[in-house]
Amino acid sequence: MTDLGLRFVRRPGPGGRAANLAAVGATAIVALLVTFLIAGSLGISHRSDRIGWRGADRADATNAIGQLHEVDGKKLDGKPLLQLELATLKPNNQPPPPGLDHTPTPGEVFVSPEVAKHWASLKGEFGGMDKPTGVITDKGLSSPEELVLIHGVDKIDSKYPHYVDSWQTTVMDSRMAALLIAVAFGIILVLFPILSLVGQAAGVAAKRREHRLAALRLAGSTRSQVLWLSAVEQAVLGLAGTVVGLLGYVVLTPLIAQIPLGGGRWFVSDIAPPWWAVLIVLAAVPVLSVISALIGLGRVSITPLGVVRGQTRKSTTALRLLPLLVGPIALASLGMGAAVVPLLIAIGFAALAVRILGPFAVQVIGKMLANLANGPVALLAGRRLADDPKAAFRPVAALVLSGFVTGFISVFMPGGDDDPSWNDMRIGVALLMGLVFLTAAASTAAGAVGTALDQAGPAKALRRSGVPLSVIERSARVAALVPVVGVGLPVVGFGALCGLALSGGQIFTEGNSGILLLVGQIVVGLVLVAAAGMAGAPVLRKASAN
C-alpha cells in the first residue's frame, strides 16, 4: 500500500496533477503562516528580553545596585527619544546592561546607532562631548531604528526612581507584553481560517479519492489498507507543501522584518525560526493534513458501495444552531476586564460555532434555491448545495470565517491617536486582516480546483445527456457564490455581535474605518469567488470532457 500511495502521487491520473499542486500550494501557505506566527511570538519575547531591564523596578532600595529614571518628553527630529538616567548605587561585579561594554559612570553617554547619527544636535546637553562614550549594540536594542540614550549620573533627581537589582534582568517590557496579548488574540482569530485551509488542502479532489479508494475496498482491500494508502499519499503532499512553505518564509524574512511593529523594524535574527520550531512545523502540518484527509474518508471505510453508487450523504440538522448562542453569551458575561485565557476560549468557541453552522446553512439555502428555481442553472446549483452541504461549504469556509474576524475587529478599530500603542494596534489589525485574507484566498483557490474535480463525474454525465457546458459552468459559479453571500454576510454580522457583546454594546471604532473594513471584506470576498470561478472553469471543462 505504501508503494501504491507513492505511485498515486507520481502518477495521479486525469486531473490529479492539478489537485496535487493545489494541495501542495495550500499546505505551503499553512506552513508559512504557522512559521510566521511562531517566529513572530518568539521575536517579541527576544526583543523584550533585551530591553526588559529598562523598566525593572523589583529591587528594594536597600539592596539595589542601581537606579533608573526616564526623562519625559524628549524628542529627536520630532520622534520620541527614550532618555534614561542611570545611577550606580554600590560597586558590583555584575555584567553591564545588554548592548553596553561597561556600566555607564557619571557623565558617560551611550546611544543607539540612530541617535549617534544626530549627535551634533544633542552634544550641547552633555557638556559638548564630540562623540558619545559608546554606541549600543544590537544586543541592547528593541529594533534597528530605536532612539535610545543612556546617561550615567551621580544620583537620580526624582521622587520615584526605579530600583534595579541586576542590569541583566528580563522583566517583560510593558509594550511588548501588550503586543504578546494582541498576538494571542490574533492567533485565535486566524486559527480557524488556517485550520479550514488545512482541511481544504487535504480535501482537494475528495470525491475523486473517495471513488478510487471505494473501488479498492470493493476489490478486497481492508479498511486499514485504504486508510494507510490515503495517509501515505497525503503525507507526501503535506510534507512537500510544508518544505515549500518554510523555504518561502526564509525568502520573505527580510521583507517581514520591515514591518514597523512594536516601535520599529525587526532584526532578522529575531524572526528567524529556531531549529526546534522548524521541526515542529515539519511534523505538525503534515500530520494535521493527514488527519483531516482520514476524517474525510470515513464514509469510504464504512460504506464503499454507497460511494460508488453516488449515495447522498446524511443531512445536517438544526442542532448546529445551538453553539451560536454560547459565544456571545460567554463574551457578554466576561466583558473587557476578564482574564485573557477565558476571553480567548470564548472567542475561539464563537469562531468554531460558525464553522459548525456553515454546512447546515448551506443545506437550507440549497433547498430553498432548488425549490424556487425557474431554470436549470439555479436547479443544478441548488441540488448540488443541498446534496452535499459539507463539500459545498469546505471551499469557502476560510472566506466565511474571515467575515467573522472582520465583523469582530470592526468594533475595535483604533482611531487616529499618535500614541505608540495605537500605532501598534493599527499595524496589528492590518497585519491580521492580511493574514486572514491570504488564508481565504489560498483556501478559495484550492477549493475551486477541488470542486471542479469533484464535480467532473456529474458534469460529464450531464454533458452526455445534452446539457450545454455553459449551463454547467454557470451553475458551478452560482453554487460557489451562494454560500459566500448567503452565509458569509450573516457571519459578518455575527462577528460584530460578538464584538459588541464583549464591549458591553460600546463601539470603540472612530470615524468610518470600521465601515471601510466591512466594505473591503465584501469586495474581497466577491473578487475571490469570481477569481476562483475563473480558475476552476478550465479544470471542470477538461475533467468533464468525453
Side-chain angles (χ1 to χ4, degrees):
M1 282 296 173
T2 301
D3 293 338
L4 186 58
L6 296 175
R7 182 182 179 85
F8 281 152
V9 174
R10 294 193 303 268
R11 299 179 181 178
R17 191 175 301 277
N20 287 352
L21 288 176
V24 170
T27 308
I29 296 295
V30 171
L32 191 152
L33 293 178
V34 171
T35 306
F36 172 72
L37 293 174
I38 294 176
S41 301
L42 293 174
I44 292 174
S45 297
H46 296 159
R47 294 173 76 169
S48 179
D49 288 345
R50 293 195 298 267
I51 65 174
W53 70 276
R54 301 178 191 169
D57 191 22
R58 292 181 174 178
D60 185 84
T62 57
N63 57 19
I65 65 170
Q67 291 178 317
L68 287 174
H69 172 64
E70 179 180 344
V71 181
D72 296 328
K74 301 294 292 186
K75 290 196 173 184
L76 182 63
D77 285 350
K79 299 178 182 178
L81 170 66
L82 175 62
Q83 179 173 326
L84 290 175
E85 292 182 344
L86 181 153
T88 302
L89 297 181
K90 53 180 150 181
N92 61 84
N93 296 322
Q94 290 196 17
L100 281 62
D101 56 14
H102 65 273
T103 303
T105 58
E108 292 187 327
V109 180
F110 285 81
V111 299
S112 63
E114 288 298 313
V115 175
K117 297 177 182 178
H118 302 82
W119 180 251
S121 62
L122 292 172
K123 65 180 183 180
E125 299 182 29
F126 302 98
M129 299 171 59
D130 290 335
K131 60 180 181 179
T133 307
V135 176
I136 305 172
T137 67
D138 296 354
K139 295 180 179 180
L141 299 175
S142 172
S143 70
E145 57 201 23
E146 190 178 22
L147 301 177
V148 182
L149 184 150
I150 301 175
H151 180 209
V153 295
D154 288 313
K155 63 179 182 177
I156 299 295
D157 187 17
S158 173
K159 293 182 179 180
Y160 306 103
H162 285 187
Y163 289 96
V164 184
D165 58 4
S166 172
W167 304 121
Q168 299 293 316
T169 186
T170 55
V171 175
M172 176 62 72
D173 177 74
S174 59
R175 188 171 182 180
M176 295 300 140
L179 269 181
L180 275 178
I181 293 174
V183 167
F185 279 98
I187 289 175
I188 289 296
L189 288 173
V190 79
L191 176 63
F192 288 95
I194 288 179
L195 291 177
S196 292
L197 180 54
V198 172
Q200 187 57 60
V204 173
K207 282 192 173 61
R208 173 176 159 272
R209 181 179 289 172
E210 274 188 353
H211 282 272
R212 186 176 64 198
L213 297 181
L216 289 173
R217 282 282 280 132
L218 292 174
S221 298
T222 65
R223 180 175 182 267
S224 59
Q225 284 177 323
V226 297
L227 291 178
W228 177 256
L229 172 64
S230 179
V232 170
E233 184 180 2
Q234 191 61 44
V236 173
L237 296 175
L239 183 60
T242 303
V243 172
V244 172
L246 286 169
L247 292 176
Y249 181 82
V250 172
V251 173
L252 293 175
T253 297
L255 295 178
I256 296 173
Q258 302 303 311
I259 299 174
L261 193 63
R265 295 176 290 114
W266 301 69
F267 292 107
V268 173
S269 58
D270 280 340
I271 55 175
W275 63 268
W276 56 265
V278 173
L279 292 180
I280 289 176
V281 174
L282 278 173
V285 174
V287 167
L288 287 175
S289 182
V290 169
I291 292 174
S292 182
L294 295 182
I295 291 174
L297 290 173
R299 194 166 70 121
V300 175
S301 61
I302 298 171
T303 59
L305 186 58
V307 174
V308 174
R309 293 172 57 190
Q311 184 176 324
T312 303
R313 292 175 182 265
K314 185 179 179 181
S315 298
T316 56
T317 66
L319 291 175
R320 290 173 177 260
L321 291 170
L322 294 179
L324 282 180
L325 303 175
V326 178
I329 293 175
L331 289 170
S333 301
L334 291 170
M336 297 284 288
V340 174
V341 174
L343 284 178
L344 293 177
I345 294 174
I347 294 172
F349 200 93
L352 178 61
V354 172
R355 184 65 180 84
I356 294 173
L357 172 70
F360 173 74
V362 169
Q363 178 181 271
V364 172
I365 294 172
K367 289 180 179 179
M368 292 176 58
L369 184 63
N371 292 334
L372 299 175
N374 58 0
V377 173
L379 179 61
L380 287 174
R383 292 310 308 169
R384 181 178 299 173
L385 296 175
D387 287 346
D388 198 351
K390 292 181 180 179
F393 181 72
R394 185 171 57 234
V396 297
L399 184 56
V400 170
L401 285 164
S402 73
F404 171 81
V405 177
T406 301
F408 187 89
I409 292 294
S410 66
V411 179
F412 303 97
M413 289 290 289
D417 199 326
D418 289 333
D419 182 84
S421 297
W422 285 111
N423 287 329
D424 287 345
M425 285 189 64
R426 280 191 287 270
I427 296 171
V429 167
L431 186 60
L432 173 63
M433 296 314 302
L435 295 179
V436 170
F437 285 144
L438 175 61
T439 305
S443 182
T444 306
V449 176
T451 301
L453 293 172
D454 289 349
Q455 295 299 322
K460 183 181 294 186
L462 289 171
R463 292 180 68 176
R464 287 176 176 174
S465 64
V467 178
L469 179 61
S470 59
V471 172
I472 298 173
E473 291 181 342
R474 285 165 56 196
S475 70
R477 287 195 292 269
V478 171
L481 180 62
V482 166
V484 175
V485 177
V487 183
L489 292 181
V491 165
V492 173
F494 178 70
L497 174 64
C498 290
L500 290 172
L502 176 61
S503 67
Q506 182 179 358
I507 298 177
F508 289 94
T509 300
E510 299 178 6
N512 58 1
S513 57
I515 300 298
L516 292 176
L517 182 62
L518 295 177
V519 172
Q521 167 69 30
I522 295 172
V523 172
V524 169
L526 294 176
V527 169
L528 287 178
V529 172
M534 295 174 61
V539 178
L540 178 62
R541 194 177 304 123
K542 182 178 180 180
S544 63
N546 292 325

